[in-house]
Amino acid sequence: MKPSRNFDEVCYPFIHETSVLCDFEVITDELCGHIGAAWSHTPTDMPDIAADLDRLQPLAFHVNGSIRGAWLWMNRTLPGCSHA
């Protein structure tokens, strides 16, 4: 991981990785933003759609950390750690 001089990349510390995890994180961040935008523009006469988007948006947000955390856990190489 290397720091970027591009201010737009500050929120993505893994942006220079060649791993598909980085692509996944950027795409899910964008998805999370789109879901939030759709939710905020949902008409008041569509409460069922608003409720679905309200529930879906945090799931999209949290899958980001979950996928990297799971990958790191499965690929850990710390001394004394074994794959169980």
Side-chain angles (χ1 to χ4, degrees):
M1 181 170 54
K2 79 177 192 184
S4 176
R5 292 177 187 229
N6 183 341
F7 189 71
D8 292 331
E9 296 173 351
V10 170
C11 62
Y12 296 106
F14 304 105
I15 197 73
H16 298 287
E17 286 184 5
T18 57
S19 166
V20 294
L21 290 178
C22 183
D23 296 337
F24 180 84
E25 290 170 330
V26 171
I27 290 167
T28 54
D29 276 355
E30 186 174 359
L31 175 64
C32 187
H34 286 303
I35 294 169
W39 176 67
S40 70
H41 293 312
T42 303
T44 56
D45 63 342
M46 301 174 108
D48 54 337
I49 301 292
D52 288 345
L53 293 172
D54 184 43
R55 173 74 178 125
L56 188 60
Q57 196 269 343
L59 296 174
F61 176 78
H62 290 297
V63 75
N64 238 347
S66 299
I67 194 75
R68 183 171 290 274
W71 183 88
L72 288 172
W73 179 254
M74 290 172 26
N75 292 289
R76 63 196 183 278
T77 56
L78 298 173
C81 290
S82 62
H83 293 358

PDB file of all heavy atoms in Angstrom, residues 37-72:
ATOM      1  N   ALA A  37     -28.893   7.490  -2.826  1.00  0.00           N
ATOM      2  CA  ALA A  37     -29.514   8.535  -3.647  1.00  0.00           C
ATOM      3  C   ALA A  37     -30.930   8.136  -4.051  1.00  0.00           C
ATOM      4  O   ALA A  37     -31.862   8.951  -3.983  1.00  0.00           O
ATOM      5  CB  ALA A  37     -28.666   8.801  -4.892  1.00  0.00           C
ATOM      6  N   ALA A  38     -31.102   6.876  -4.449  1.00  0.00           N
ATOM      7  CA  ALA A  38     -32.442   6.403  -4.819  1.00  0.00           C
ATOM      8  C   ALA A  38     -33.382   6.475  -3.620  1.00  0.00           C
ATOM      9  O   ALA A  38     -34.542   6.899  -3.754  1.00  0.00           O
ATOM     10  CB  ALA A  38     -32.366   4.971  -5.358  1.00  0.00           C
ATOM     11  N   TRP A  39     -32.885   6.073  -2.459  1.00  0.00           N
ATOM     12  CA  TRP A  39     -33.706   6.114  -1.242  1.00  0.00           C
ATOM     13  C   TRP A  39     -34.128   7.545  -0.923  1.00  0.00           C
ATOM     14  O   TRP A  39     -35.290   7.806  -0.587  1.00  0.00           O
ATOM     15  CB  TRP A  39     -32.929   5.503  -0.078  1.00  0.00           C
ATOM     16  CG  TRP A  39     -33.638   5.588   1.233  1.00  0.00           C
ATOM     17  CD1 TRP A  39     -34.785   4.941   1.594  1.00  0.00           C
ATOM     18  CD2 TRP A  39     -33.253   6.364   2.355  1.00  0.00           C
ATOM     19  NE1 TRP A  39     -35.136   5.266   2.884  1.00  0.00           N
ATOM     20  CE2 TRP A  39     -34.203   6.151   3.378  1.00  0.00           C
ATOM     21  CE3 TRP A  39     -32.188   7.223   2.609  1.00  0.00           C
ATOM     22  CZ2 TRP A  39     -34.116   6.767   4.611  1.00  0.00           C
ATOM     23  CZ3 TRP A  39     -32.105   7.827   3.842  1.00  0.00           C
ATOM     24  CH2 TRP A  39     -33.064   7.597   4.829  1.00  0.00           C
ATOM     25  N   SER A  40     -33.186   8.489  -1.030  1.00  0.00           N
ATOM     26  CA  SER A  40     -33.505   9.880  -0.679  1.00  0.00           C
ATOM     27  C   SER A  40     -34.482  10.528  -1.666  1.00  0.00           C
ATOM     28  O   SER A  40     -35.137  11.505  -1.329  1.00  0.00           O
ATOM     29  CB  SER A  40     -32.221  10.718  -0.574  1.00  0.00           C
ATOM     30  OG  SER A  40     -31.647  10.921  -1.852  1.00  0.00           O
ATOM     31  N   HIS A  41     -34.576   9.972  -2.879  1.00  0.00           N
ATOM     32  CA  HIS A  41     -35.493  10.529  -3.883  1.00  0.00           C
ATOM     33  C   HIS A  41     -36.760   9.697  -4.051  1.00  0.00           C
ATOM     34  O   HIS A  41     -37.554   9.967  -4.949  1.00  0.00           O
ATOM     35  CB  HIS A  41     -34.796  10.667  -5.233  1.00  0.00           C
ATOM     36  CG  HIS A  41     -33.698  11.679  -5.241  1.00  0.00           C
ATOM     37  ND1 HIS A  41     -33.834  12.950  -4.728  1.00  0.00           N
ATOM     38  CD2 HIS A  41     -32.410  11.608  -5.671  1.00  0.00           C
ATOM     39  CE1 HIS A  41     -32.702  13.611  -4.865  1.00  0.00           C
ATOM     40  NE2 HIS A  41     -31.821  12.822  -5.423  1.00  0.00           N
ATOM     41  N   THR A  42     -36.947   8.693  -3.213  1.00  0.00           N
ATOM     42  CA  THR A  42     -38.146   7.860  -3.314  1.00  0.00           C
ATOM     43  C   THR A  42     -39.362   8.669  -2.877  1.00  0.00           C
ATOM     44  O   THR A  42     -39.359   9.264  -1.794  1.00  0.00           O
ATOM     45  CB  THR A  42     -38.009   6.599  -2.433  1.00  0.00           C
ATOM     46  OG1 THR A  42     -36.838   5.890  -2.830  1.00  0.00           O
ATOM     47  CG2 THR A  42     -39.211   5.695  -2.588  1.00  0.00           C
ATOM     48  N   PRO A  43     -40.397   8.696  -3.706  1.00  0.00           N
ATOM     49  CA  PRO A  43     -41.606   9.452  -3.348  1.00  0.00           C
ATOM     50  C   PRO A  43     -42.234   8.933  -2.055  1.00  0.00           C
ATOM     51  O   PRO A  43     -42.141   7.748  -1.739  1.00  0.00           O
ATOM     52  CB  PRO A  43     -42.555   9.205  -4.538  1.00  0.00           C
ATOM     53  CG  PRO A  43     -41.668   8.787  -5.663  1.00  0.00           C
ATOM     54  CD  PRO A  43     -40.511   8.076  -5.029  1.00  0.00           C
ATOM     55  N   THR A  44     -42.887   9.818  -1.347  1.00  0.00           N
ATOM     56  CA  THR A  44     -43.495   9.456  -0.067  1.00  0.00           C
ATOM     57  C   THR A  44     -44.632   8.460  -0.221  1.00  0.00           C
ATOM     58  O   THR A  44     -44.979   7.775   0.735  1.00  0.00           O
ATOM     59  CB  THR A  44     -44.012  10.709   0.668  1.00  0.00           C
ATOM     60  OG1 THR A  44     -44.926  11.401  -0.182  1.00  0.00           O
ATOM     61  CG2 THR A  44     -42.865  11.618   1.059  1.00  0.00           C
ATOM     62  N   ASP A  45     -45.198   8.360  -1.427  1.00  0.00           N
ATOM     63  CA  ASP A  45     -46.284   7.398  -1.635  1.00  0.00           C
ATOM     64  C   ASP A  45     -45.765   5.994  -1.967  1.00  0.00           C
ATOM     65  O   ASP A  45     -46.537   5.117  -2.348  1.00  0.00           O
ATOM     66  CB  ASP A  45     -47.255   7.891  -2.725  1.00  0.00           C
ATOM     67  CG  ASP A  45     -46.601   8.017  -4.089  1.00  0.00           C
ATOM     68  OD1 ASP A  45     -45.351   8.067  -4.163  1.00  0.00           O
ATOM     69  OD2 ASP A  45     -47.338   8.070  -5.098  1.00  0.00           O
ATOM     70  N   MET A  46     -44.462   5.777  -1.786  1.00  0.00           N
ATOM     71  CA  MET A  46     -43.850   4.469  -2.020  1.00  0.00           C
ATOM     72  C   MET A  46     -43.061   4.026  -0.783  1.00  0.00           C
ATOM     73  O   MET A  46     -41.860   3.776  -0.841  1.00  0.00           O
ATOM     74  CB  MET A  46     -42.926   4.517  -3.228  1.00  0.00           C
ATOM     75  CG  MET A  46     -43.604   4.936  -4.519  1.00  0.00           C
ATOM     76  SD  MET A  46     -42.416   5.129  -5.838  1.00  0.00           S
ATOM     77  CE  MET A  46     -42.811   3.704  -6.809  1.00  0.00           C
ATOM     78  N   PRO A  47     -43.721   3.942   0.382  1.00  0.00           N
ATOM     79  CA  PRO A  47     -42.997   3.623   1.612  1.00  0.00           C
ATOM     80  C   PRO A  47     -42.371   2.226   1.610  1.00  0.00           C
ATOM     81  O   PRO A  47     -41.360   2.005   2.273  1.00  0.00           O
ATOM     82  CB  PRO A  47     -44.056   3.759   2.707  1.00  0.00           C
ATOM     83  CG  PRO A  47     -45.350   3.530   2.010  1.00  0.00           C
ATOM     84  CD  PRO A  47     -45.159   4.076   0.614  1.00  0.00           C
ATOM     85  N   ASP A  48     -42.962   1.289   0.865  1.00  0.00           N
ATOM     86  CA  ASP A  48     -42.390  -0.057   0.818  1.00  0.00           C
ATOM     87  C   ASP A  48     -41.040  -0.062   0.094  1.00  0.00           C
ATOM     88  O   ASP A  48     -40.091  -0.707   0.537  1.00  0.00           O
ATOM     89  CB  ASP A  48     -43.361  -1.048   0.169  1.00  0.00           C
ATOM     90  CG  ASP A  48     -43.839  -0.613  -1.209  1.00  0.00           C
ATOM     91  OD1 ASP A  48     -43.789   0.605  -1.510  1.00  0.00           O
ATOM     92  OD2 ASP A  48     -44.270  -1.488  -1.984  1.00  0.00           O
ATOM     93  N   ILE A  49     -40.943   0.704  -0.982  1.00  0.00           N
ATOM     94  CA  ILE A  49     -39.670   0.818  -1.710  1.00  0.00           C
ATOM     95  C   ILE A  49     -38.644   1.543  -0.841  1.00  0.00           C
ATOM     96  O   ILE A  49     -37.483   1.132  -0.757  1.00  0.00           O
ATOM     97  CB  ILE A  49     -39.851   1.572  -3.047  1.00  0.00           C
ATOM     98  CG1 ILE A  49     -40.869   0.863  -3.938  1.00  0.00           C
ATOM     99  CG2 ILE A  49     -38.518   1.771  -3.754  1.00  0.00           C
ATOM    100  CD1 ILE A  49     -40.428  -0.485  -4.454  1.00  0.00           C
ATOM    101  N   ALA A  50     -39.051   2.610  -0.181  1.00  0.00           N
ATOM    102  CA  ALA A  50     -38.148   3.359   0.700  1.00  0.00           C
ATOM    103  C   ALA A  50     -37.636   2.467   1.818  1.00  0.00           C
ATOM    104  O   ALA A  50     -36.440   2.497   2.153  1.00  0.00           O
ATOM    105  CB  ALA A  50     -38.856   4.589   1.266  1.00  0.00           C
ATOM    106  N   ALA A  51     -38.497   1.642   2.385  1.00  0.00           N
ATOM    107  CA  ALA A  51     -38.089   0.740   3.464  1.00  0.00           C
ATOM    108  C   ALA A  51     -37.092  -0.299   2.957  1.00  0.00           C
ATOM    109  O   ALA A  51     -36.114  -0.623   3.640  1.00  0.00           O
ATOM    110  CB  ALA A  51     -39.311   0.055   4.079  1.00  0.00           C
ATOM    111  N   ASP A  52     -37.326  -0.821   1.749  1.00  0.00           N
ATOM    112  CA  ASP A  52     -36.390  -1.791   1.169  1.00  0.00           C
ATOM    113  C   ASP A  52     -35.012  -1.157   0.942  1.00  0.00           C
ATOM    114  O   ASP A  52     -33.983  -1.753   1.263  1.00  0.00           O
ATOM    115  CB  ASP A  52     -36.922  -2.333  -0.156  1.00  0.00           C
ATOM    116  CG  ASP A  52     -38.107  -3.277   0.018  1.00  0.00           C
ATOM    117  OD1 ASP A  52     -38.352  -3.743   1.158  1.00  0.00           O
ATOM    118  OD2 ASP A  52     -38.784  -3.543  -0.993  1.00  0.00           O
ATOM    119  N   LEU A  53     -34.997   0.042   0.371  1.00  0.00           N
ATOM    120  CA  LEU A  53     -33.726   0.723   0.121  1.00  0.00           C
ATOM    121  C   LEU A  53     -33.022   1.091   1.423  1.00  0.00           C
ATOM    122  O   LEU A  53     -31.790   1.007   1.515  1.00  0.00           O
ATOM    123  CB  LEU A  53     -33.954   1.966  -0.747  1.00  0.00           C
ATOM    124  CG  LEU A  53     -34.413   1.696  -2.180  1.00  0.00           C
ATOM    125  CD1 LEU A  53     -34.797   3.002  -2.864  1.00  0.00           C
ATOM    126  CD2 LEU A  53     -33.349   0.956  -2.969  1.00  0.00           C
ATOM    127  N   ASP A  54     -33.811   1.492   2.421  1.00  0.00           N
ATOM    128  CA  ASP A  54     -33.254   1.824   3.730  1.00  0.00           C
ATOM    129  C   ASP A  54     -32.579   0.608   4.355  1.00  0.00           C
ATOM    130  O   ASP A  54     -31.556   0.715   5.024  1.00  0.00           O
ATOM    131  CB  ASP A  54     -34.369   2.346   4.637  1.00  0.00           C
ATOM    132  CG  ASP A  54     -33.863   2.804   5.982  1.00  0.00           C
ATOM    133  OD1 ASP A  54     -32.812   3.482   6.043  1.00  0.00           O
ATOM    134  OD2 ASP A  54     -34.514   2.479   6.993  1.00  0.00           O
ATOM    135  N   ARG A  55     -33.126  -0.559   4.145  1.00  0.00           N
ATOM    136  CA  ARG A  55     -32.539  -1.797   4.671  1.00  0.00           C
ATOM    137  C   ARG A  55     -31.338  -2.253   3.834  1.00  0.00           C
ATOM    138  O   ARG A  55     -30.344  -2.751   4.348  1.00  0.00           O
ATOM    139  CB  ARG A  55     -33.617  -2.897   4.686  1.00  0.00           C
ATOM    140  CG  ARG A  55     -33.127  -4.257   5.051  1.00  0.00           C
ATOM    141  CD  ARG A  55     -32.842  -4.360   6.546  1.00  0.00           C
ATOM    142  NE  ARG A  55     -32.417  -5.715   6.863  1.00  0.00           N
ATOM    143  CZ  ARG A  55     -31.285  -6.002   7.491  1.00  0.00           C
ATOM    144  NH1 ARG A  55     -30.493  -5.051   7.906  1.00  0.00           N
ATOM    145  NH2 ARG A  55     -30.959  -7.244   7.736  1.00  0.00           N
ATOM    146  N   LEU A  56     -31.418  -2.076   2.518  1.00  0.00           N
ATOM    147  CA  LEU A  56     -30.378  -2.539   1.600  1.00  0.00           C
ATOM    148  C   LEU A  56     -29.101  -1.691   1.660  1.00  0.00           C
ATOM    149  O   LEU A  56     -27.991  -2.220   1.566  1.00  0.00           O
ATOM    150  CB  LEU A  56     -30.937  -2.538   0.173  1.00  0.00           C
ATOM    151  CG  LEU A  56     -30.093  -3.148  -0.926  1.00  0.00           C
ATOM    152  CD1 LEU A  56     -29.827  -4.615  -0.629  1.00  0.00           C
ATOM    153  CD2 LEU A  56     -30.793  -2.994  -2.263  1.00  0.00           C
ATOM    154  N   GLN A  57     -29.245  -0.397   1.850  1.00  0.00           N
ATOM    155  CA  GLN A  57     -28.095   0.515   1.803  1.00  0.00           C
ATOM    156  C   GLN A  57     -27.021   0.168   2.830  1.00  0.00           C
ATOM    157  O   GLN A  57     -25.844   0.054   2.471  1.00  0.00           O
ATOM    158  CB  GLN A  57     -28.575   1.958   1.941  1.00  0.00           C
ATOM    159  CG  GLN A  57     -27.566   2.987   1.533  1.00  0.00           C
ATOM    160  CD  GLN A  57     -26.699   3.458   2.688  1.00  0.00           C
ATOM    161  OE1 GLN A  57     -27.028   3.270   3.854  1.00  0.00           O
ATOM    162  NE2 GLN A  57     -25.589   4.055   2.356  1.00  0.00           N
ATOM    163  N   PRO A  58     -27.333  -0.057   4.104  1.00  0.00           N
ATOM    164  CA  PRO A  58     -26.266  -0.412   5.044  1.00  0.00           C
ATOM    165  C   PRO A  58     -25.651  -1.784   4.752  1.00  0.00           C
ATOM    166  O   PRO A  58     -24.480  -2.013   5.045  1.00  0.00           O
ATOM    167  CB  PRO A  58     -26.925  -0.384   6.418  1.00  0.00           C
ATOM    168  CG  PRO A  58     -28.369  -0.177   6.211  1.00  0.00           C
ATOM    169  CD  PRO A  58     -28.602   0.177   4.790  1.00  0.00           C
ATOM    170  N   LEU A  59     -26.419  -2.688   4.168  1.00  0.00           N
ATOM    171  CA  LEU A  59     -25.861  -3.989   3.806  1.00  0.00           C
ATOM    172  C   LEU A  59     -24.781  -3.827   2.741  1.00  0.00           C
ATOM    173  O   LEU A  59     -23.722  -4.464   2.802  1.00  0.00           O
ATOM    174  CB  LEU A  59     -26.959  -4.938   3.323  1.00  0.00           C
ATOM    175  CG  LEU A  59     -28.021  -5.314   4.357  1.00  0.00           C
ATOM    176  CD1 LEU A  59     -29.127  -6.146   3.708  1.00  0.00           C
ATOM    177  CD2 LEU A  59     -27.402  -6.052   5.529  1.00  0.00           C
ATOM    178  N   ALA A  60     -25.052  -2.970   1.745  1.00  0.00           N
ATOM    179  CA  ALA A  60     -24.057  -2.699   0.697  1.00  0.00           C
ATOM    180  C   ALA A  60     -22.824  -2.031   1.305  1.00  0.00           C
ATOM    181  O   ALA A  60     -21.695  -2.325   0.920  1.00  0.00           O
ATOM    182  CB  ALA A  60     -24.661  -1.811  -0.394  1.00  0.00           C
ATOM    183  N   PHE A  61     -23.032  -1.157   2.275  1.00  0.00           N
ATOM    184  CA  PHE A  61     -21.919  -0.476   2.934  1.00  0.00           C
ATOM    185  C   PHE A  61     -21.039  -1.466   3.700  1.00  0.00           C
ATOM    186  O   PHE A  61     -19.825  -1.449   3.609  1.00  0.00           O
ATOM    187  CB  PHE A  61     -22.468   0.601   3.883  1.00  0.00           C
ATOM    188  CG  PHE A  61     -21.413   1.291   4.688  1.00  0.00           C
ATOM    189  CD1 PHE A  61     -20.623   2.269   4.126  1.00  0.00           C
ATOM    190  CD2 PHE A  61     -21.215   0.950   6.014  1.00  0.00           C
ATOM    191  CE1 PHE A  61     -19.643   2.912   4.877  1.00  0.00           C
ATOM    192  CE2 PHE A  61     -20.237   1.582   6.772  1.00  0.00           C
ATOM    193  CZ  PHE A  61     -19.451   2.564   6.196  1.00  0.00           C
ATOM    194  N   HIS A  62     -21.660  -2.362   4.446  1.00  0.00           N
ATOM    195  CA  HIS A  62     -20.913  -3.274   5.311  1.00  0.00           C
ATOM    196  C   HIS A  62     -20.276  -4.445   4.584  1.00  0.00           C
ATOM    197  O   HIS A  62     -19.327  -5.037   5.101  1.00  0.00           O
ATOM    198  CB  HIS A  62     -21.798  -3.769   6.449  1.00  0.00           C
ATOM    199  CG  HIS A  62     -22.113  -2.697   7.439  1.00  0.00           C
ATOM    200  ND1 HIS A  62     -21.143  -2.080   8.198  1.00  0.00           N
ATOM    201  CD2 HIS A  62     -23.281  -2.105   7.770  1.00  0.00           C
ATOM    202  CE1 HIS A  62     -21.696  -1.158   8.959  1.00  0.00           C
ATOM    203  NE2 HIS A  62     -22.987  -1.153   8.720  1.00  0.00           N
ATOM    204  N   VAL A  63     -20.753  -4.788   3.412  1.00  0.00           N
ATOM    205  CA  VAL A  63     -20.145  -5.904   2.683  1.00  0.00           C
ATOM    206  C   VAL A  63     -18.707  -5.558   2.281  1.00  0.00           C
ATOM    207  O   VAL A  63     -17.861  -6.432   2.158  1.00  0.00           O
ATOM    208  CB  VAL A  63     -20.996  -6.322   1.460  1.00  0.00           C
ATOM    209  CG1 VAL A  63     -20.861  -5.345   0.306  1.00  0.00           C
ATOM    210  CG2 VAL A  63     -20.618  -7.724   1.006  1.00  0.00           C
ATOM    211  N   ASN A  64     -18.421  -4.274   2.138  1.00  0.00           N
ATOM    212  CA  ASN A  64     -17.066  -3.839   1.785  1.00  0.00           C
ATOM    213  C   ASN A  64     -16.034  -4.340   2.786  1.00  0.00           C
ATOM    214  O   ASN A  64     -15.082  -5.024   2.410  1.00  0.00           O
ATOM    215  CB  ASN A  64     -17.019  -2.311   1.753  1.00  0.00           C
ATOM    216  CG  ASN A  64     -16.575  -1.789   0.429  1.00  0.00           C
ATOM    217  OD1 ASN A  64     -16.070  -2.524  -0.391  1.00  0.00           O
ATOM    218  ND2 ASN A  64     -16.772  -0.515   0.223  1.00  0.00           N
ATOM    219  N   GLY A  65     -16.182  -3.981   4.034  1.00  0.00           N
ATOM    220  CA  GLY A  65     -15.238  -4.410   5.055  1.00  0.00           C
ATOM    221  C   GLY A  65     -15.289  -5.904   5.287  1.00  0.00           C
ATOM    222  O   GLY A  65     -14.277  -6.539   5.599  1.00  0.00           O
ATOM    223  N   SER A  66     -16.461  -6.476   5.111  1.00  0.00           N
ATOM    224  CA  SER A  66     -16.613  -7.906   5.330  1.00  0.00           C
ATOM    225  C   SER A  66     -15.793  -8.713   4.340  1.00  0.00           C
ATOM    226  O   SER A  66     -15.170  -9.706   4.702  1.00  0.00           O
ATOM    227  CB  SER A  66     -18.085  -8.304   5.213  1.00  0.00           C
ATOM    228  OG  SER A  66     -18.847  -7.642   6.178  1.00  0.00           O
ATOM    229  N   ILE A  67     -15.793  -8.301   3.087  1.00  0.00           N
ATOM    230  CA  ILE A  67     -15.092  -9.084   2.065  1.00  0.00           C
ATOM    231  C   ILE A  67     -13.580  -9.001   2.264  1.00  0.00           C
ATOM    232  O   ILE A  67     -12.878  -9.984   2.162  1.00  0.00           O
ATOM    233  CB  ILE A  67     -15.517  -8.670   0.633  1.00  0.00           C
ATOM    234  CG1 ILE A  67     -15.060  -9.714  -0.379  1.00  0.00           C
ATOM    235  CG2 ILE A  67     -14.988  -7.311   0.243  1.00  0.00           C
ATOM    236  CD1 ILE A  67     -15.853 -10.971  -0.380  1.00  0.00           C
ATOM    237  N   ARG A  68     -13.048  -7.831   2.586  1.00  0.00           N
ATOM    238  CA  ARG A  68     -11.599  -7.715   2.813  1.00  0.00           C
ATOM    239  C   ARG A  68     -11.214  -8.425   4.109  1.00  0.00           C
ATOM    240  O   ARG A  68     -10.216  -9.125   4.167  1.00  0.00           O
ATOM    241  CB  ARG A  68     -11.147  -6.255   2.868  1.00  0.00           C
ATOM    242  CG  ARG A  68      -9.629  -6.144   3.027  1.00  0.00           C
ATOM    243  CD  ARG A  68      -9.138  -4.739   2.870  1.00  0.00           C
ATOM    244  NE  ARG A  68      -9.234  -4.266   1.524  1.00  0.00           N
ATOM    245  CZ  ARG A  68      -8.311  -4.459   0.588  1.00  0.00           C
ATOM    246  NH1 ARG A  68      -7.231  -5.148   0.854  1.00  0.00           N
ATOM    247  NH2 ARG A  68      -8.469  -3.974  -0.623  1.00  0.00           N
ATOM    248  N   GLY A  69     -12.009  -8.264   5.139  1.00  0.00           N
ATOM    249  CA  GLY A  69     -11.721  -8.938   6.402  1.00  0.00           C
ATOM    250  C   GLY A  69     -11.716 -10.443   6.247  1.00  0.00           C
ATOM    251  O   GLY A  69     -10.838 -11.134   6.763  1.00  0.00           O
ATOM    252  N   ALA A  70     -12.682 -10.979   5.504  1.00  0.00           N
ATOM    253  CA  ALA A  70     -12.736 -12.430   5.275  1.00  0.00           C
ATOM    254  C   ALA A  70     -11.529 -12.882   4.470  1.00  0.00           C
ATOM    255  O   ALA A  70     -10.917 -13.911   4.763  1.00  0.00           O
ATOM    256  CB  ALA A  70     -14.030 -12.796   4.558  1.00  0.00           C
ATOM    257  N   TRP A  71     -11.160 -12.118   3.458  1.00  0.00           N
ATOM    258  CA  TRP A  71     -10.007 -12.490   2.633  1.00  0.00           C
ATOM    259  C   TRP A  71      -8.724 -12.465   3.464  1.00  0.00           C
ATOM    260  O   TRP A  71      -7.906 -13.377   3.383  1.00  0.00           O
ATOM    261  CB  TRP A  71      -9.875 -11.534   1.445  1.00  0.00           C
ATOM    262  CG  TRP A  71      -8.762 -11.901   0.522  1.00  0.00           C
ATOM    263  CD1 TRP A  71      -8.821 -12.757  -0.530  1.00  0.00           C
ATOM    264  CD2 TRP A  71      -7.405 -11.440   0.590  1.00  0.00           C
ATOM    265  NE1 TRP A  71      -7.593 -12.851  -1.114  1.00  0.00           N
ATOM    266  CE2 TRP A  71      -6.707 -12.060  -0.454  1.00  0.00           C
ATOM    267  CE3 TRP A  71      -6.724 -10.574   1.429  1.00  0.00           C
ATOM    268  CZ2 TRP A  71      -5.352 -11.831  -0.691  1.00  0.00           C
ATOM    269  CZ3 TRP A  71      -5.377 -10.353   1.203  1.00  0.00           C
ATOM    270  CH2 TRP A  71      -4.707 -10.967   0.157  1.00  0.00           C
ATOM    271  N   LEU A  72      -8.564 -11.430   4.277  1.00  0.00           N
ATOM    272  CA  LEU A  72      -7.369 -11.355   5.120  1.00  0.00           C
ATOM    273  C   LEU A  72      -7.322 -12.507   6.112  1.00  0.00           C
ATOM    274  O   LEU A  72      -6.264 -13.075   6.373  1.00  0.00           O
ATOM    275  CB  LEU A  72      -7.319 -10.011   5.856  1.00  0.00           C
ATOM    276  CG  LEU A  72      -7.000  -8.798   5.001  1.00  0.00           C
ATOM    277  CD1 LEU A  72      -7.188  -7.517   5.812  1.00  0.00           C
ATOM    278  CD2 LEU A  72      -5.600  -8.880   4.436  1.00  0.00           C
TER     279      LEU A  72
END
